[in-house]
Amino acid sequence: MSSVKAPQAYEVNEFGGTPEQEAYMQDIINQFTVDTTYLNQIRDRFIKEMNKGLEKEGATVAMIPSYVEGRLTGKEQGNFLALDLGGTNLRVVLVTLEGAGKFKTVSSKSRVSDELKSGPMRNLCDYIAECIDTFLTEQGLEDQETELNLGYTFSFPVLQTKINRGVLSTWTKGFACSGAVGKDPVLLLQDALLRKHVPVKVSALVNDTVGTLLSNAYNKPSTVAGLILGTGANGAYIEKMENIKKWKGGKTTSDEMIINMEFGAFDNERKILPLTRFDNKLDRESINPHSQIYEKMISGMYLGEISRNVLTDMIDRELLLKRDEHTSIAWSKDISKHWSFETAFMSNIEADKSKDFTETKEILDTNLNLHDITTTEAKFIKKICELVGKRAARLAAASIAAIVQHIGITKEGCDIGIDGSLYEFYPSFESRMYDALEEMLPEVHDLRKTIRLGLARDGSGVGAALTACVAANMESRK
């Protein structure tokens, strides 16, 4: 049974439009449809790019070694902490592992003020240490005999050198603390914890995608990969050390390591992905042109904007919203604003199963002031959402097919943990991924039971605490 609660998407196949509208739509359908042959070519290219990234530094798909060695069994026990920093809030999580794949969590959130985001790093670290201290006191853990291990999800570009060592390369997301770039965020936080006598050891620096893999693996030990398909997109999987040709880190405590793929950058060279002029427009107008090309075709941040680009093109050609009493230009003020057509609207439109598309019409009316949309227009708009949403699911599935083919699967099959709003809530996203996987991997018998996709929640919290647990295991194996 799927763990995803997303509704089913209802697809439209006839429109009853004018010959011009129908011809335009057929062209759009052709541009956004990715057939089996094309999917297979994308998957094969993906595997090639994975291998390039494993061989040398500086490849398009970076394939970053996470320094997380070995696997979880689900039998691990004890208290572990996670700290999640990367946006407006700071989150501290206590995860109590009970063995048998079961765990309990409690957490607290604190706001990170703009003042802290742009002041000295020492102040930010002192504030974090204080938050951890207060949280431990609330949980009755302030007088620990032994230090608690903490996994630190630090969501900024870091060059990692060990499981608990790294260097901040640059701030992003509105942070700009002085005295941090070029330094190790782990050491800076550990110093603050020592100054405050907080019994916590920062034992792992965590990437949230690696965390997603681990949070799935604790109760599903056959987990081989973790993906994030939400606002952004990324993947991580377990690789054999012998295949990581670029590894220069010396002897490891296990013959396996999790790789953070950073696959959003796949095909930045634009050699294989089925880019349309609507994708090119989105890329040109984005804050990071010519980068993260794959992510821009499959993740929640961008799907609404791709759909909007198609809709405005139809409006400009007077194939949509054309009315005798006023031109369609007067009509489309809100939809002309960048990012005004949200991926959430697509979600609701795709789930609309009402006879004359009342829900679709209502969404457009309420959010974009597009009044008295006709049923035919609603059908075209719904179809565009379907084409963009379905293409995203199918292209995302190509990464899973690539990972599975690269590592090979045993008779028992494998689990893949996926976090993110798109996978969890977008209508039929999961079943469209499965359809694509069945097309790309016809040799896999009973695919949905063999390659088991499932919702893996909270890679940056639970996953980070589990990374601290793996770090502690690695320490004891040395």
Side-chain angles (χ1 to χ4, degrees), residues 9-17 21-22 24-26 28-29 32 303-316 319-323 328 331-332 335 340-352 356-390 426 432:
Y10 291 87
E11 301 183 354
V12 182
N13 291 312
E14 61 219 40
F15 312 102
Q21 285 174 320
E22 297 280 350
Y24 180 90
M25 205 61 214
Q26 197 46 59
I28 295 294
I29 291 169
F32 279 90
L303 301 186
E305 185 67 359
I306 299 169
S307 301
R308 190 187 73 86
N309 285 345
V310 184
L311 294 174
T312 50
D313 186 61
M314 278 191 89
I315 293 167
D316 292 347
L319 294 172
L320 203 60
L321 310 183
K322 185 170 163 49
R323 299 291 185 273
S328 49
W331 252 71
S332 51
I335 205 165
S340 60
F341 193 77
E342 296 171 22
T343 305
F345 304 162
M346 291 174 67
S347 230
N348 295 330
I349 289 171
E350 279 240 60
D352 182 5
D356 46 3
F357 306 96
T358 20
E359 285 165 45
T360 298
K361 292 171 185 172
E362 198 165 305
I363 291 158
L364 299 166
D365 190 358
T366 314
N367 299 291
L368 292 156
N369 289 311
L370 295 173
H371 315 302
D372 60 326
I373 289 270
T374 68
T375 298
T376 298
E377 288 174 331
K379 285 182 183 175
F380 283 125
I381 294 168
K382 189 166 163 63
K383 186 66 177 182
I384 289 162
C385 294
E386 176 205 313
L387 290 167
V388 174
K390 187 186 258 185
Y426 195 94
R432 287 164 173 176

Side-chain angles (χ1 to χ4, degrees), residues 178-249:
S178 56
V181 173
K183 301 248 175 38
D184 185 339
V186 172
L187 290 177
L188 295 170
L189 178 59
Q190 192 67 68
D191 284 348
L193 290 164
L194 290 167
R195 284 198 293 275
K196 284 210 172 353
H197 307 288
V198 186
V200 166
K201 180 191 177 193
V202 186
S203 55
L205 194 53
V206 187
N207 167 277
D208 58 353
T209 314
V210 173
T212 298
L213 190 162
L214 291 173
S215 78
N216 202 63
Y218 187 64
N219 65 0
K220 294 173 183 168
S222 310
T223 300
V224 296
L227 267 74
I228 290 184
L229 295 172
T231 309
N234 191 16
Y237 74 101
I238 300 172
E239 182 58 280
K240 292 251 173 288
M241 285 309 303
E242 64 199 36
N243 294 336
I244 312 172
K245 303 279 192 279
K246 65 182 176 183
W247 178 253
K248 293 191 179 65

Side-chain angles (χ1 to χ4, degrees), residues 19 90 116 155 238 350 374 394:
L90 165 89
L116 282 170
S155 306
I238 300 172
E350 279 240 60
T374 68
R394 291 172 68 80

Side-chain angles (χ1 to χ4, degrees), residues 21-229:
Q21 285 174 320
E22 297 280 350
Y24 180 90
M25 205 61 214
Q26 197 46 59
D27 178 44
I28 295 294
I29 291 169
N30 297 343
Q31 288 186 57
F32 279 90
T33 301
V34 188
D35 65 13
T36 311
T37 314
Y38 202 155
L39 276 178
N40 286 334
Q41 290 170 343
I42 293 168
R43 174 207 58 205
D44 295 347
R45 174 82 186 198
F46 208 100
I47 296 171
K48 275 199 185 110
E49 292 295 313
M50 284 170 70
N51 285 321
K52 273 190 208 166
L54 290 169
E55 273 161 34
K56 60 175 199 304
E57 295 298 337
T60 307
V61 178
M63 303 295 277
I64 302 162
S66 68
Y67 297 84
V68 177
E69 303 164 16
R71 300 190 183 209
L72 290 167
T73 61
K75 297 188 177 81
E76 296 82 358
Q77 291 180 315
N79 285 327
F80 296 90
L81 288 170
L83 167 68
D84 180 8
L85 175 75
T88 33
N89 292 315
L90 165 89
R91 198 163 55 111
V92 186
V93 186
L94 169 68
V95 177
T96 305
L97 303 179
E98 301 172 331
K102 292 192 163 47
F103 60 83
K104 288 197 181 89
T105 66
V106 262
S107 65
S108 76
K109 255 188 191 167
S110 321
R111 227 185 115 63
V112 183
S113 68
D114 289 341
E115 199 180 340
L116 282 170
K117 285 184 187 177
S118 53
M121 184 62 168
R122 186 181 167 121
N123 296 0
L124 178 63
C125 290
D126 283 340
Y127 174 69
I128 295 172
E130 212 167 287
C131 291
I132 295 172
D133 196 24
T134 309
F135 178 71
L136 291 181
T137 307
E138 285 165 3
Q139 300 307 320
L141 291 168
E142 71 277 22
D143 302 324
Q144 285 284 92
E145 289 303 303
T146 52
E147 288 181 313
L148 281 168
N149 287 296
L150 175 138
Y152 187 3
T153 303
F154 182 74
S155 306
F156 302 96
V158 169
L159 289 167
Q160 208 161 340
T161 49
K162 286 207 302 220
I163 190 158
N164 60 347
R165 288 286 170 271
V167 172
L168 173 66
S169 23
T170 140
W171 283 116
T172 55
K173 304 182 211 183
F175 277 73
C177 297
S178 56
V181 173
K183 301 248 175 38
D184 185 339
V186 172
L187 290 177
L188 295 170
L189 178 59
Q190 192 67 68
D191 284 348
L193 290 164
L194 290 167
R195 284 198 293 275
K196 284 210 172 353
H197 307 288
V198 186
V200 166
K201 180 191 177 193
V202 186
S203 55
L205 194 53
V206 187
N207 167 277
D208 58 353
T209 314
V210 173
T212 298
L213 190 162
L214 291 173
S215 78
N216 202 63
Y218 187 64
N219 65 0
K220 294 173 183 168
S222 310
T223 300
V224 296
L227 267 74
I228 290 184
L229 295 172

